[in-house]
């Protein structure tokens, strides 16, 4: 089986110089507020477990797009200052599974996964063949992420190379950390969305050369899911991973019971759905597999052994009735668990909504997770899983200043709830479950403000 390094396996190139175009170059800013991030992974169900770093009434100093320092003392007069007393300042959220073209099918009524794809998803993705439409949707999608506090994402565009170019161009213009790649589908999909192995490989090679390692962009080999790729295409995907150390891989696994049965029919030689990907060299420490609801203990052991990661997508799982992910079992088995909004199966780009749904999924299964475990999975935990903790996921000097300022409360009811909170966990959990997109005050990417709430009518 092909293996590759988690950390990137790539020497810097002259294209990395483009990163300077997207950071707050020669700019300084001191943000004041209540800083929340993590230094270690908290226990899933214990609000008192260590790992949380809470620094109220602190200053976050940003210089040349990076966090320069965190301190309680007000900096000197050379620093421009922005004060947010009582507001939260967090690292930007990291969404590890979302489909850019599917914002057109948000909240679409339907049945289970396979019918939903045929009825809603595939027609929306077909429209991405038009370059102008792909550019419009890509910009709208990324601005939607920024408006909800997400600054980094792992994204499925579509089978169209133009959709990948449009998405990377839009992300590059905004300075975002983005991982994406052309979707691979050469069977069991409408003819207008199928590719073939030779053309798909050529497209991928050209896109890798054009975008991988450019600024904050990285390429992910992206078979949609095992049923829509032939053995030949999955083998080609594995060959790309072996030939280009540092690439990511993203796909779906074990989301729905009918899908799992279908995979067993299509690949009768496989032990499990996950086994299909491993046989083709697609499991490794840069592999992100969405869902993973219907995995067994041996599958979880293989995830741990190969370093492959899971993206838990609770909003989508609830909306499509796919099942209840067992986070505790995945973690006990040694698998890394991150979180994805999975729009358009999920119903919101907001990671806060995703975290609240993750709590409910575990509660339905008789388990409890804390605000700390949820927030860690969407920040430092995701950054560590992706091998990007040197860049994102924490309010740490030297990391890029992907930071979000949040209101704790917007309505009288919310303000009352915060006022009577028993402790910090109670207050933050209430914020997590009650807050909406309008609680995002400001989103900065590498120090540059990319979203500011419009308060003119308040």
């Amino acid at each position: 089986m092909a293996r590759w390094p988690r950390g990137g396996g790539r020497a810097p190139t002259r294209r990395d110089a483009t990163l300077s175009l997207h950071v707050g170059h020669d700019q300084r800013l001191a943000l004041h507020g209540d800083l929340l991030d993590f230094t270690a992974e908290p226990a899933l169900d214990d609000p008192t477990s260590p790992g949380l770093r809470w620094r109220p009434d602190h200053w976050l100093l940003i210089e040349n797009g990076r966090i320069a320092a965190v301190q309680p003392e007000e900096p000197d007069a050379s620093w421009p200052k922005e004060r947010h007393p009582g507001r939260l300042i967090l690292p930007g959220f990291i969404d590890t599974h979302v489909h850019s073209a599917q914002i057109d099918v948000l909240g679409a009524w339907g049945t289970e996964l396979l019918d939903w794809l045929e009825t809603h998803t595939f027609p929306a993705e077909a429209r991405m063949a038009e370059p102008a439409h792909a550019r419009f949707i890509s910009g709208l999608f990324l601005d939607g992420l920024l408006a909800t506090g997400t600054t980094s994402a792992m994204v499925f565009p579509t089978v169209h190379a133009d959709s990948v170019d449009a998405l990377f161009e839009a992300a590059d213009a905004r300075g975002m950390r983005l991982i994406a790649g052309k979707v691979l589908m050469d069977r069991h999909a409408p003819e207008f969305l199928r590719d073939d192995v030779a053309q798909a490989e050529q497209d991928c090679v050209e896109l890798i050369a054009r975008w991988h390692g450019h600024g904050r962009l990285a390429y992910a080999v992206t078979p949609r899911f095992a049923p829509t790729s032939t053995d030949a295409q999955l083998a080609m995907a594995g060959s790309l991973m072996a030939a280009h150390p540092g690439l990511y891989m993203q796909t779906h696994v074990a989301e729905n019971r009918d899908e799992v049965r279908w995979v067993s029919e299509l690949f009768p030689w496989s032990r499990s759905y996950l086994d299909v990907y491993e046989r083709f060299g697609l499991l490794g420490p840069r592999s992100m597999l969405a869902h993973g609801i219907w995995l067994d203990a041996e599958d979880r052991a293989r995830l741990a052994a190969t370093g492959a990661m899971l993206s838990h997508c609770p909003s989508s799982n609830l909306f499509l009735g796919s099942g209840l992910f067992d986070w505790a079992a995945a973690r006990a088995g040694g698998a890394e668990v991150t979180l994805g909004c999975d729009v358009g199966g999920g119903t919101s780009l907001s990671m806060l909504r995703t975290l609240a749904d993750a709590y409910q999924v575990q509660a339905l299964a008789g388990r409890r997770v804390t605000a700390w475990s949820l927030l860690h999975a969407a920040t430092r935990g995701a950054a560590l899983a992706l091998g990007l903790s040197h860049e994102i996921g924490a309010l740490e000097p030297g990391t890029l200043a992907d930071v979000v300022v949040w209101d704790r409360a917007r309505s009288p009811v919310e303000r009352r709830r915060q006022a009577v909170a028993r402790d910090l966990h109670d207050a933050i959990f209430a914020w997590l479950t009650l807050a909406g997109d309008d609680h995002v005050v400001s989103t900065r990417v590498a120090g540059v403000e990319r979203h500011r709430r419009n308060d003119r009518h308040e």
Side-chain angles (χ1 to χ4, degrees):
M1 182 186 69
R3 298 298 299 269
W4 53 95
R6 184 185 292 275
R10 180 184 66 85
T13 73
R14 61 188 179 89
R15 291 187 300 171
D16 293 315
T18 61
L19 179 58
S20 65
L21 300 176
H22 307 300
V23 302
H25 188 61
D26 293 333
Q27 294 181 358
R28 306 172 98 202
L29 178 68
L31 290 176
H32 175 262
D34 296 340
L35 278 58
L36 189 158
D37 67 344
F38 297 89
T39 59
E41 184 176 32
L44 270 180
D45 58 358
D46 180 4
T48 67
S49 69
L52 170 71
R53 179 162 54 183
W54 173 243
R55 293 174 285 186
D57 195 24
H58 269 59
W59 290 89
L60 181 76
L61 276 55
I62 300 171
E63 188 168 22
N64 299 333
R66 294 186 181 273
I67 296 174
V70 178
Q71 60 190 50
E73 304 85 9
E74 182 171 343
D76 63 39
S78 69
W79 286 88
K81 300 177 179 69
E82 195 172 293
R83 300 174 189 271
H84 295 281
R87 285 173 167 162
L88 298 171
I89 300 178
L90 273 73
F93 286 136
I94 304 163
D95 188 332
T96 58
H97 183 69
V98 59
H99 298 255
S100 56
Q102 292 185 26
I103 58 173
D104 273 2
V105 298
L106 270 169
W109 184 90
T111 55
E112 290 189 353
L113 171 67
L114 300 178
D115 289 334
W116 191 83
L117 289 172
E118 291 284 350
T119 304
H120 301 295
T121 299
F122 290 156
E125 293 190 357
R127 295 194 288 273
M128 298 291 279
E130 170 53 47
H133 178 77
R135 288 192 296 271
F136 168 73
I137 291 295
S138 296
L140 184 66
F141 164 75
L142 293 175
D143 287 342
L145 291 181
L146 294 168
T148 61
T150 295
T151 54
S152 300
M154 200 163 187
V155 185
F156 277 57
T158 66
V159 297
H160 313 100
D162 283 340
S163 78
V164 186
D165 283 327
L167 182 63
F168 276 140
E169 286 167 3
D172 194 42
R174 291 160 177 78
M176 296 175 71
R177 162 55 71 179
L178 198 87
I179 303 168
K182 170 189 151 51
V183 174
L184 303 174
M185 291 197 296
D186 67 342
R187 67 169 175 174
H188 297 139
E191 184 177 355
F192 54 79
L193 285 178
R194 289 200 300 267
D195 54 17
D196 64 72
V197 175
Q199 185 62 54
E201 182 174 24
Q202 180 180 334
D203 287 345
C204 289
V205 169
E206 291 174 357
L207 289 164
I208 290 164
R210 189 150 59 243
W211 294 113
H212 185 62
H214 176 88
R216 300 183 71 187
L217 308 176
Y219 196 86
V221 176
T222 308
R224 185 184 207 101
F225 64 154
T228 51
S229 288
T230 60
D231 287 23
Q233 189 172 70
L234 292 171
M236 180 272 287
S239 296
L240 285 173
M241 295 300 300
H244 300 274
L247 296 184
Y248 289 85
M249 194 286 298
Q250 59 179 348
T251 191
H252 301 79
V253 69
E255 177 178 0
N256 171 283
R257 282 174 289 193
D258 287 342
E259 170 205 12
V260 172
R261 283 191 289 268
W262 192 20
V263 169
S264 68
E265 294 167 3
L266 294 171
F267 302 92
W269 46 263
S270 64
R271 190 203 70 81
S272 69
Y273 194 156
L274 186 76
D275 182 47
V276 175
Y277 296 127
E278 184 165 18
R279 295 285 187 94
F280 288 105
L282 293 172
L283 293 190
R286 297 170 73 85
S287 300
M288 183 67 70
L289 300 105
H291 305 295
I293 299 170
W294 304 103
L295 300 177
D296 61 19
E298 188 169 342
D299 288 326
R300 290 189 282 270
R302 295 312 305 154
L303 289 170
T306 60
M309 305 160 277
L310 291 174
S311 181
H312 174 30
C313 303
S315 304
S316 172
N317 299 159
L318 290 170
F319 189 68
L320 298 177
S322 300
L324 305 178
F325 175 74
D326 192 336
W327 194 342
R331 187 157 159 177
E336 297 275 6
V337 178
T338 62
L339 288 158
C341 77
D342 194 24
V343 160
T347 54
S348 171
L349 291 171
S350 168
M351 287 300 287
L352 273 191
R353 299 280 55 74
T354 301
L355 302 187
D357 285 344
Y359 174 83
Q360 293 176 62
V361 164
Q362 298 310 305
L364 283 168
R367 298 180 288 269
R368 292 291 185 272
V369 292
T370 68
W372 309 145
S373 56
L374 293 164
L375 289 167
H376 178 270
T379 55
R380 181 179 181 270
L384 285 167
L386 294 169
L388 296 172
S389 60
H390 62 286
E391 177 190 329
I392 55 177
L395 303 177
E396 192 71 43
T399 61
L400 286 170
D402 290 0
V403 297
V404 183
V405 179
W406 295 86
D407 273 328
R408 287 207 213 187
R410 297 276 286 161
S411 71
V413 170
E414 287 179 90
R415 285 191 282 272
R416 172 62 183 173
R417 179 65 182 87
Q418 289 292 317
V420 299
R422 298 188 309 274
D423 54 27
L424 180 62
H425 183 267
D426 189 36
I428 297 301
F429 186 78
W431 164 75
L432 184 155
T433 54
L434 299 175
D437 298 351
D438 63 341
H439 289 61
V440 177
V441 178
S442 171
T443 302
R444 291 184 178 274
V445 178
V448 178
E449 187 169 69
R450 298 294 180 181
H451 171 77
R452 168 73 68 163
R453 187 178 66 206
N454 184 353
D455 287 338
R456 286 180 299 175
H457 301 299
E458 296 190 358

